[in-house]
Amino acid sequence: MSIRFTATKSTTRQLLMAAAGVLLLLAALDIVSLHRLSDPPTTDDDGFLTSKGQTERRTDLFWGTLFVVAGGSILIAGLGGLLSGRPVVELSDERIRLRVAGPMSYLEIPWAEVAGVRSHRDYEEDGRIPTPVLVVEVEDRSEYPDGLWGAVWVGDALHVDADGWETTVEDVVIRSELMLETHAEGEYQ
């Protein structure tokens, strides 16, 4: 299987995620121990925590823990996306591969089963900012799993969230249509 085209997540977005994770970790460190930007717990003249200070300390530990968990998760997700560099879409002569079966797993759809590929804009609930969506229509949806990651089935059409891709969804659609057309011509020759 020779891969003709790949689309990956935006490097800039992955870097920004990692930076946000680092900022949350630094905020947690300040809240729990450094107290450069946050106020330290209240102490008496001897330096011991007062009853109010003990309550403030418990609150600081709660928020610090929350920030560490959130910051660590975001940092790992951002760096993981940067380091893995795995494509979200791969187009080959035989099939289209979409990384929607899990964080590192692909759903493979042979060109013979693809009825069409198009782009779509999803306006969600608020209707303000459209999210780009890659729509892959298949002949028989029953052959493919439910519970996908970053994608949902609407009838026989797989709607894949294309927000944050390095390549525009329209470019992926054009290349997919060319591959689909090439596959169809090969069948009839």
Side-chain angles (χ1 to χ4, degrees), residues 61-77:
L61 288 174
F62 170 77
W63 285 109
T65 302
L66 185 65
F67 278 34
V68 165
V69 169
S73 299
I74 293 171
L75 178 64
I76 289 170

Side-chain angles (χ1 to χ4, degrees), residues 9-17 82 166:
K9 290 265 186 190
S10 169
T11 305
T12 303
R13 183 171 280 201
Q14 300 297 320
L15 281 172
L16 289 174
M17 279 181 62
L82 275 175
E166 194 78 36

Side-chain angles (χ1 to χ4, degrees), residues 140-189:
D140 184 15
R141 184 254 175 279
S142 65
E143 298 178 22
Y144 300 101
D146 289 325
L148 298 173
W149 184 72
V152 64
W153 287 102
V154 178
D156 284 340
L158 179 63
H159 289 236
V160 181
D161 181 6
D163 192 31
W165 290 3
E166 194 78 36
T167 307
T168 66
V169 69
E170 290 80 13
D171 191 28
V172 174
V173 168
I174 291 168
R175 291 171 184 270
S176 298
E177 287 174 342
L178 290 172
M179 297 295 290
L180 188 59
E181 188 177 299
T182 302
H183 177 75
E185 287 175 359
E187 284 185 350
Y188 297 115
Q189 288 182 2

